[in-house]
Amino acid sequence: MVQPKIAPSMLSSDFANLASEAERMIRCGADWLHMDIMDGHFVPNLTIGAPVIESLRKHTKAYLDCHLMVTNPIDYVEPFGKAGASGFTFHVEVSKDNWQELVQKIKAKGMKPGISLKPGTPVEEVFPLLECENPVEMVLIMTVEPGFGGQKFMPEMMDKVRVLRKKYPSLDIEVDGGLGPSTIDLAASAGANCIVAGSSVFGAPDPAHVISLLYKSVENAQKSS
Ligand code: DX5
Ligand code: ZN
């Protein structure tokens, strides 16, 4: 059985107090910290890079689940490995020619390789990355257009999650965008086990309560499947 992992998206945190925000999330029960890396090119927004991951790593031992929304992920592998990233998830839309090299390099740096799909990208595009000698270890299904927090969850993306869960029972399947108490049951029952949540956690009066609710929803869906 795959483990539920709740990953607050630090994009919704107070970036000026990143270390204490990370610590607060771990205290609230977060399993992973989701780090959104945006290059202002692949997506129309610019966030953080390896130097910030390196600084944060000095303050926490937490699993840093890095989501690379960048045009040239290969250039980020070495610096992110050095900085102390734990997971390195890149987008299939920009890695059609070099995903094998990417996966190999990510693993060589001791990180967990993941592949992400924008809402318009068919799920079949990740099958080759899962059915090869050196597969990715997580699939991240975007449930909003990447670029910004606080957008509306796209329920139609759950078909992709269902297809993946049926085909790959022990795969880590992550969902990202618009997840919170009102949408988690849809994602959990479709088979997602890694849940990214930004505004619903950071905007809540009691983030620990939201994190625990998300976790329990995944657990309950797994019990009844
Ligand atoms: C969007 C990012 C998400 C974002 C999610 O491009 O990948 O991780 O922070 O934020 P919410 O949960 O607010 O939709
Ligand atoms: Zn993300």
Side-chain angles (χ1 to χ4, degrees), residues 23 107 135 143:
E23 196 196 321
K107 287 188 184 174
T143 44

Side-chain angles (χ1 to χ4, degrees), residues 39 42 68-80 88-92 94-95 98 102 106:
D39 67 353
F42 179 72
L68 283 285
M69 286 161 276
V70 302
T71 306
N72 53 337
I74 196 100
D75 295 344
Y76 291 69
V77 177
E78 168 106 29
F80 271 69
F88 187 106
T89 299
F90 57 97
H91 270 263
V92 72
V94 289
S95 54
N98 64 350
L102 263 161
I106 293 165

